[in-house]
Amino acid sequence: MPFVWLSSSPKSREGIRRKDEAATMTYKLREKRMTMAPSRGCDWFANDESAFIGSSSCRMKHKTSLPSSSTFPLDARNTGGSRVSNVSQANPRVPRLDEPFLYDIPADLNPLYQTPPLLLRLVIWASSALLAGREFISQVVSAASVSQITCSIREQAPATLARKVAAYFLRYLLFATIAKLSIQERFFAPSRVSTKYLVDNDQLPSELSRYETISPRSTWGETREVHEEIGVHSIQYTKSVEEKQEDGEPLPKFDGIFLHHGFGASSLSWIPVLPSLVDKLGKGGAVGIASDNPGFGFSDRPDGDTDAGLAQYSSEGNAGIALSLLDRHVSQEKDDKSRSVAIFGHSMGSKAALLMALTCVKEPRLKLKPSLLVLVAPALEGLALPARKSSTTKSKSSQTNRGWLRSKLSLIRVLLRKVFLDYPIQFGLRRLVGRAGFWRKGLELAWGSGHLSDSDVLRFEWLFKLECDRDSEE
């Protein structure tokens, strides 16, 4: 199985660029999209400005918009109850010119915190000033004359007067900040909707978006069971069966391609490269899939305070989800041979990619053959082997007593963590990412580039500024 290790450093990317453009990771998106997509003549991995693992979108050379009626349906052979975000003819959503597989945030959803009206802000400032200086106001009301107030102020030492003035301004800032945040959070907060709401209203971020409920498969070396059903959002692109091979192109190899995103990203990070990879590396009818790992994007977020829920967030859980999606959507060969797949992993997703490849090799029943494994800027750790069974046995009574005590202590620990850590951090992050320009400035700082397209920023704004609440029932 070929193995490719790519680094995200500028020097490494420059070395990759100077290699033969016919290498494995150098592709061009075909301009023959017929009615499925606009013509896009651009090199995806040809230079540092290209869409290298979703870092920056291709600048369109042919600004042709998609027909409003065009869709990208998967083959109907393995729908598995998946929900597809189709474009409604009554209210069509127009894809972006610079990224035709990505939609803008719907107009009825507000991604930012709104500034309260000026009159309301004046009321907040005045109320905070009166509340902070209530002691001084009471002295003024009880004083017989203005001269008496002046004399009482002059009689105080300068240091005492300075402390009182500083305390007043601190109280004023505290009261004004609490009042503003409370009112803004209650009446001027960003839209927070569930994934179910987006699916029911055809408002998922891409025409390639799919949302379906699956049961993760077991993975090799699994130290915890991850088998509970979970709702997963993914982007899926299917290569046309009728497309013919272009002259001079290498023969396609794979029946399916899967891509794992990194920490803080989502399946939307792969939108600029997924169609290109599938068209270049896939056979006719090949399927490319990139899913949102639990805790990221629009996939469900299980309860992390339970063992079963916490296991869903592990790399084993991510690999199990990927195996289930591939097994469901990649067609079976007529002669019952193994289906050839290519697996990509970026950063944190590299471990899940490795687990996928190992599981496919160790489990012939899956009939998935990992023929190519590509890791981009991998963030890896040692794979945990299955725990050995203990040779010593403990009494059931001691285990029961310790189990009861541990459960009580765990409950107290979870409560304290939520009150003093989880809720304050969540509130702070919501306020931070709900500010205008946050993601553009943050991505420019992280990527070291000031030439980001609006689509580069939008792929992150979709996820964090909408702050989709999986537990809400809209």
Side-chain angles (χ1 to χ4, degrees):
M1 175 179 63
F3 176 81
V4 181
W5 181 306
L6 300 179
S7 170
S8 64
S9 64
K11 292 182 178 179
S12 299
R13 292 202 300 270
E14 180 67 13
I16 294 174
R17 186 185 68 83
R18 292 178 179 178
K19 290 185 178 181
D20 187 1
E21 291 187 5
T24 306
M25 294 303 297
T26 305
Y27 306 108
K28 290 183 179 179
L29 183 63
R30 295 178 185 175
E31 296 185 9
K32 55 169 192 175
R33 280 281 184 263
M34 297 176 292
T35 60
M36 295 182 63
S39 177
R40 304 175 66 184
C42 55
D43 293 340
W44 291 101
F45 288 89
N47 54 61
D48 293 342
E49 297 293 330
S50 64
F52 189 80
I53 308 305
S55 293
S56 65
S57 299
C58 166
R59 277 54 176 176
M60 294 292 297
K61 293 182 180 179
H62 306 279
K63 294 188 177 181
T64 306
S65 60
L66 276 171
S68 61
S69 60
S70 63
T71 56
F72 302 81
L74 291 174
D75 293 345
R77 58 184 181 270
N78 286 322
T79 57
S82 63
R83 301 293 299 275
V84 181
S85 179
N86 292 325
V87 180
S88 173
Q89 293 295 328
N91 186 23
R93 300 174 65 191
V94 180
R96 297 178 58 84
L97 292 177
D98 59 344
E99 188 54 70
F101 296 103
L102 184 67
Y103 291 130
D104 284 314
I105 296 175
D108 60 335
L109 297 179
N110 177 28
L112 299 174
Y113 279 97
Q114 301 300 304
T115 303
L118 178 59
L119 180 60
L120 181 57
R121 282 181 285 164
L122 293 176
V123 172
I124 293 174
W125 296 336
S127 304
S128 302
L130 293 175
L131 188 60
R134 60 186 183 277
E135 296 181 359
F136 178 74
I137 293 175
S138 62
Q139 293 178 2
V140 171
V141 173
S142 61
S145 62
V146 177
S147 59
Q148 184 178 355
I149 299 173
T150 306
C151 292
S152 62
I153 294 176
R154 290 178 178 177
E155 290 175 357
Q156 297 181 14
T160 303
L161 185 60
R163 284 197 300 269
K164 289 185 176 181
V165 172
Y168 167 78
F169 279 107
L170 288 176
R171 288 196 300 270
Y172 166 75
L173 291 176
L174 178 62
F175 295 149
T177 301
I178 293 176
K180 179 184 177 182
L181 293 180
S182 300
I183 293 175
Q184 201 172 28
E185 191 70 27
R186 179 64 180 85
F187 301 103
F188 303 97
S191 302
R192 297 191 179 106
V193 297
S194 64
T195 301
K196 181 178 181 299
Y197 174 90
L198 296 177
V199 173
D200 292 341
N201 291 274
D202 291 332
Q203 291 183 341
L204 286 174
S206 173
E207 199 162 349
L208 306 180
S209 289
R210 304 291 187 274
Y211 181 80
E212 52 196 310
T213 301
I214 64 171
S215 296
R217 287 186 172 272
S218 300
T219 58
W220 175 84
E222 188 174 89
T223 57
R224 65 189 84 180
E225 293 187 358
V226 189
H227 304 299
E228 291 190 354
E229 289 189 345
I230 182 173
V232 177
H233 169 264
S234 62
I235 58 171
Q236 302 181 18
Y237 177 86
T238 304
K239 183 178 180 179
S240 174
V241 179
E242 290 76 16
E243 286 192 30
K244 296 181 180 180
Q245 192 71 30
E246 290 184 353
D247 295 337
E249 282 194 25
L251 293 175
K253 301 178 180 180
F254 309 110
D255 299 294
I257 299 174
F258 198 94
L259 305 99
H260 290 274
H261 65 78
F263 182 80
S266 70
S267 60
L268 302 185
S269 300
W270 292 104
I271 281 183
V273 297
L274 179 62
S276 175
L277 289 175
V278 176
D279 284 341
K280 274 292 185 180
L281 297 181
K283 299 178 181 178
V287 179
I289 305 173
S291 66
D292 292 337
N293 294 332
F296 300 90
F298 302 94
S299 292
D300 290 352
R301 297 181 180 179
D303 185 5
D305 294 328
T306 63
D307 292 338
L310 186 61
Q312 298 275 26
Y313 293 96
S314 63
S315 296
E316 291 87 350
N318 299 336
I321 290 173
L323 290 170
S324 295
L325 288 172
L326 275 179
D327 187 51
R328 174 179 291 184
H329 294 294
V330 178
S331 61
Q332 184 63 50
E333 295 290 343
K334 295 181 180 180
D335 53 3
D336 202 34
K337 289 184 178 180
S338 296
R339 296 159 289 181
S340 178
V341 296
I343 304 173
F344 290 74
H346 175 224
S347 186
M348 181 192 71
S350 298
K351 182 178 179 181
L354 286 173
L355 285 171
M356 278 187 67
L358 289 171
T359 303
C360 292
V361 173
K362 296 291 183 180
E363 297 291 339
R365 293 176 298 176
L366 289 175
K367 296 187 180 301
L368 294 173
K369 179 183 177 182
S371 302
L372 176 65
L373 177 63
V374 180
L375 305 182
V376 183
L380 297 175
E381 59 177 342
L383 298 178
L385 298 177
R388 296 180 179 179
K389 295 182 179 180
S390 177
S391 58
T392 60
T393 58
K394 299 181 181 180
S395 63
K396 293 184 178 180
S397 60
S398 62
Q399 291 179 356
T400 303
N401 293 334
R402 292 182 179 180
W404 178 86
L405 181 60
R406 286 179 179 177
S407 64
K408 297 300 181 184
L409 292 177
S410 177
L411 183 61
I412 296 174
R413 176 179 59 83
V414 169
L415 181 62
L416 293 176
R417 189 199 69 207
K418 286 187 174 182
V419 173
F420 295 103
L421 188 63
D422 290 357
Y423 294 150
I425 290 178
Q426 290 173 7
F427 178 78
L429 288 176
R430 284 200 302 267
R431 297 292 310 184
L432 188 63
V433 302
R435 298 175 57 186
F438 169 81
W439 281 111
R440 179 172 293 278
K441 295 177 182 177
L443 292 173
E444 288 177 353
L445 180 63
W447 293 349
S449 173
H451 304 286
L452 300 180
S453 69
D454 292 338
S455 294
D456 296 329
V457 181
L458 181 61
R459 289 196 295 272
F460 287 85
E461 288 180 337
W462 254 110
L463 305 171
F464 297 95
K465 287 190 174 180
L466 285 180
E467 191 66 26
C468 290
D469 183 6
R470 307 309 189 271
D471 298 326
S472 65
E473 295 293 332
E474 294 290 314

